[in-house]
Amino acid sequence: MLEHDAIQSAVNDAYHSFGQETGGKNADYIPFLAGVDPSLSGLAVVTAKGDIFTAGDTAYRFAIESISKVCTLALALEDFDPQTIQQKIGADPTGLPFNSVMALELHGDKPLSPLVNAGAMATTSLVKASSAEERWQRILKMQQRLTSSQVAISDELNQSEQTTNFHNKGIAWLLYSAGFMYSDPMEACDVYTRQCSTLLNTVELATLGATIASGGRNPVTNEQVLTAANCPAILAEMTMEGMYDSSGDWAYTVGLPGKSGVGGGILTIAPGKLAIAAFSPPLDPVGNSVRGQKMAAAVAQALKLNLYQC
Ligand code: GLN
């Protein structure tokens, strides 16, 4: 059992050691993200019992970006089952950047993972709905239930992404031509772009993770949001590809499933115990928050959460 004092001091120590670390650069291929204050930095833990520990700018709402892929995967797993996702999308790392076209070329156009852009758009297209609006509303609702918050789209961010997402549109058409897109491809790209354009704070992100950590039951609201049997598949996908082409390094050094977003969010989950969420905009070349990774890793290490430690 992790003591409250131990968790709070791990959070404080990690924040004070790495919360102002230099290095990295805001994402700028989405103009909105280039303008976010790079000095922001927050760290939160939410346990499977719903206890919350924080340090830094944890009330600031940032762009969910790729972390939305976890929520949409969770919804697709509710609509189908782990075998269908494995067959239609995949459960392997690509070893290449999150928006790689070469990764598709190398694997017969199968996206391999719901946590890269190609697989995420395919996953969005799988979500059961009779219209784009219904699909979007179901995805948004899932984000809200996982975070237990009224997570909302930022129109300004969405506009910024929708007017610059030409590369993702190209990927969507490639998937469509290969039979790995399950709705109209431009509709899937549009809804995917919306799902990346919601804002959440670090505590809400940690709550999302704590819901998965506790077998799909949101520890803040007590609502069973996900089927418990689907949670291992989410965590496996996060381990394989959640930190993109440094997923292996994250498993090797931290030993937990993780997920990043180019908005600067980092989520890492200790199954059955807690989730750690960190936020800070400057990214490393792979697209993962520099400070966020260091803060989250330090908490995991202080609390001895590495899953591979016997
Ligand atoms: N919306 C971003 C994109 O599609 C998300 C990428 C990310 O966070 N890695 O490129």
Side-chain angles (χ1 to χ4, degrees), residues 93-104 106-107 116 241 244-245:
T94 68
L96 287 163
F98 61 78
N99 60 358
S100 174
V101 173
M102 201 198 300
L104 290 174
L106 289 173
H107 301 102
V116 294
E241 187 60 65
Y244 304 121
D245 28 338

Side-chain angles (χ1 to χ4, degrees), residues 180-231:
F180 285 107
M181 190 53 98
Y182 307 101
S183 75
D184 175 86
M186 289 304 94
E187 180 191 305
C189 186
D190 170 36
V191 175
Y192 162 79
T193 305
R194 286 194 243 176
Q195 78 181 38
C196 290
S197 301
T198 60
L199 304 181
L200 81 181
N201 68 32
T202 315
V203 173
E204 290 159 350
L205 179 57
T207 305
L208 187 171
T211 303
I212 300 169
S214 51
R217 185 189 52 83
N218 184 317
V220 175
T221 60
N222 252 323
E223 183 195 3
Q224 189 71 38
V225 181
L226 306 176
T227 303
N230 290 342
C231 291

Side-chain angles (χ1 to χ4, degrees), residues 29-30 65-66 98 117 161 168 192 196 244 261-262:
Y29 74 99
I30 298 168
E65 297 299 343
S66 263
F98 61 78
N117 290 10
E161 297 212 28
N168 283 342
Y192 162 79
C196 290
Y244 304 121
V262 292

